[in-house]
Amino acid sequence: RAPPAVCGAARQGDGGLSHWRGATLFWRPAPWARGPARRTPHTIQPPLSRIGAPHVQRAVILPPVLAPQPPESPVSPATVPRESTMASPMLGFLLDLATRHDARQAAALCQAANVDPAVLADPDGRVPRSAALRLVEQLMRIAPGQALGLRAHDEVHPGLFQVVGCAMMSSATLHQAIERLARMMPLLDEDRSIELRTEGAHYRLIDEGEPVPPPLMIEAGMAALLGFCRFLSAGRGLPVLEAEFRHAAPPDPGAYHRLMPGAALLFGR
C-alpha cells in the first residue's frame, strides 16, 4: 500500500527509547464538557372565604424533594467489577498470524478457547481479557519459542489500530503519531497505559501495564508498532538502538535481530 502523503514525510527528530508492553525500544533521531433546572418552591393563595381579605397571606409549600427527610442508614451496594476488554481486531490478527489464515485450524482454536469467531471478525467488537488470554494460550501451543508475534511487522495494516490508526495517520511526524497512540491506547486495550517521555535526543515509550501479558502479545504489539511506523514514514521506520523485554529470551533470538538489526536485546528485565 502506498503510505499517506501527509505522513510520508516525517520531519527530522522522530526517535526515542520505548517500553512497549513489556518491551523497551530505543531509537535514534532520524532525518526525515446547563446545569440541572432548579426546582423552586410552589406558592399558593389561600381562599378568601377562609381568611379575611386584610389578612391575606401566602403559604409556601416545598416540593417533596426539598422537604426535610429522615436520615437514612448508609447502604453499600455490592459492586461487581467489570472485566477489562480489548479490541477484537488485534486478537483476530494474532489468530491469523498463528494459523496463517487457515480457517479450519482457526475455528478449532477458537472452540478450544471458548471464543466466538464472529466476535473476532467484528471490526467494532470487544473481547473480555480472560477470553483473549485463553485464545493466546492456545496460539502459543502451535509453535512455542518461534516468535510468532514478530510476523506482525510485515502484515500490519491501518485497520488493525481502528480509530487510533486514523489518528496516527493524520499526524505530521512519527513522534506525534506515537503521542496519539499513547493517549488513545485504552481504546485498543483497557489494561494498557503507556507514556511517552523525552530523554535528551531520544524518546522512551513506557508500558508497564499489569498483569504482564504473554510473550506472543508482547512480540505482536512491538512488531505491529514498528511495522506501522515504517508504513507511516514511507519505509524508513525507527532505527532501534535497544529493545528490552520482560519475558525470557527465546531459544533462538535470530528473528528479533532480523527485525531490529544492530539493536541491543535485553530479556527478562
Side-chain angles (χ1 to χ4, degrees), residues 223-268:
L225 173 63
L226 292 176
F228 197 40
C229 286
R230 183 174 295 277
F231 169 81
L232 294 177
S233 59
R236 286 169 291 198
L238 298 175
V240 180
L241 299 179
E242 182 181 276
E244 183 177 322
F245 304 90
R246 286 191 272 178
H247 59 270
D252 181 12
Y256 287 81
H257 287 291
R258 288 189 293 272
L259 180 63
M260 298 166 285
L265 302 180
L266 304 175
F267 293 90

Side-chain angles (χ1 to χ4, degrees), residues 20-35:
W20 182 255
R21 196 58 169 174
T24 304
L25 303 181
F26 186 76
W27 64 89
R28 65 171 62 86
W32 43 267
R34 181 165 89 143

Side-chain angles (χ1 to χ4, degrees), residues 37-44 59-69:
R38 292 181 298 174
R39 299 193 62 178
T40 58
H42 297 288
T43 303
I44 64 171
V60 177
I61 300 179
L62 294 175
V65 69
L66 298 180
Q69 300 293 326

Side-chain angles (χ1 to χ4, degrees), residues 182-217:
R183 186 167 63 251
M184 303 173 70
M185 194 65 211
L187 295 177
L188 299 177
D189 191 335
E190 294 176 336
D191 272 354
R192 305 178 69 166
S193 176
I194 61 179
E195 178 184 358
L196 181 64
R197 295 180 184 174
T198 302
E199 295 188 353
H202 308 292
Y203 300 98
R204 183 185 298 267
L205 187 62
I206 303 174
D207 180 1
E208 296 179 342
E210 296 295 340
V212 178
L216 175 60
M217 298 180 71

Side-chain angles (χ1 to χ4, degrees), residues 109-180:
L109 290 170
C110 287
Q111 183 177 8
N114 194 23
V115 174
D116 186 356
V119 176
L120 302 184
D122 182 359
D124 299 319
R126 307 290 299 184
V127 181
R129 170 65 53 180
S130 58
L133 293 179
R134 290 197 305 269
L135 182 56
V136 170
E137 182 181 356
Q138 294 294 325
L139 299 180
M140 293 178 64
R141 293 176 180 175
I142 296 178
Q146 294 189 18
L148 290 177
L150 299 187
R151 299 176 185 171
H153 178 270
D154 296 329
E155 300 190 31
V156 67
H157 53 85
L160 178 63
F161 293 90
Q162 300 180 303
V163 66
V164 181
C166 295
M168 295 175 69
M169 292 174 64
S170 64
S171 303
T173 65
L174 287 182
H175 179 268
Q176 186 182 60
I178 296 175
E179 281 184 322
R180 292 178 174 179

